[in-house]
Amino acid sequence: MGASYGVAMGIVLAVFGRCLSMAFITGNSAQNPQILDASAQLLLVAGIFFWLLGILNVVRLAVQALGYSNLAIISGVIEMIARSITSYFFVPIYGFSAICFSDQSAWITATTYSTLICIHVIKLIEKKLNNRKAAVPEAD
């Protein structure tokens, strides 16, 4: 459900980004095409990667629901670090385009971390369940 919502909203952002921007940008700013172009670019890039945010939320919440909240919190810290690195190193080189990709770099790194952690947590839980089964004698 999360990934399909991400895809649907991503398509909306990518296709209707400029129209959405015009709904929120008013006054003299609305007359400036550069502002609308920049806003549309930001929403287009967000829309292209929005499906990834759906996956990130599902995987991170699964880790948290399985009882490993601390590992899920680290995912948020990783997002912050990725945004900081993008802002510090890439914005001076690539300018506004790098700003547009700062969220996406965070989503990619956090999704990678969260997916690997989710696989690890599932293996830990399977191991605990198998150990419990082995410890309980079968009734004859």
Side-chain angles (χ1 to χ4, degrees):
M1 180 69 178
S4 60
Y5 170 77
V7 169
M9 290 299 103
I11 291 169
V12 169
L13 287 175
V15 174
F16 300 108
R18 189 174 186 86
C19 295
L20 290 169
S21 297
M22 289 176 13
F24 294 100
I25 299 173
T26 59
N28 292 336
S29 298
Q31 305 304 320
N32 189 342
Q34 290 177 325
I35 292 174
L36 291 174
D37 290 343
S39 176
Q41 179 184 353
L42 180 69
L43 292 175
L44 173 66
V45 172
I48 291 170
F49 286 91
F50 213 67
W51 60 273
L52 191 61
L53 183 60
I55 294 171
L56 172 60
N57 286 329
V58 168
V59 175
R60 184 173 21 210
L61 290 175
V63 171
Q64 185 175 353
L66 291 170
Y68 293 85
S69 298
N70 291 340
L71 295 177
I73 290 171
I74 292 172
S75 175
V77 173
I78 287 174
E79 281 188 73
M80 181 184 65
I81 292 169
R83 282 186 183 95
S84 298
I85 289 171
T86 301
S87 298
Y88 187 78
F89 291 107
F90 295 109
V91 170
I93 299 168
Y94 299 106
F96 183 73
S97 293
I99 292 170
C100 292
F101 281 96
S102 65
D103 281 337
Q104 290 69 20
S105 67
W107 299 344
I108 291 167
T109 53
T111 301
T112 302
Y113 165 81
S114 295
T115 302
L116 293 173
I117 288 299
C118 188
I119 292 167
H120 175 69
V121 164
I122 290 171
K123 286 181 181 179
L124 284 176
I125 291 171
E126 284 177 346
K127 186 176 178 181
K128 286 180 186 179
L129 290 174
N130 289 335
N131 287 343
R132 285 185 188 170
K133 284 182 184 178
V136 175
E138 290 187 27
D140 290 325

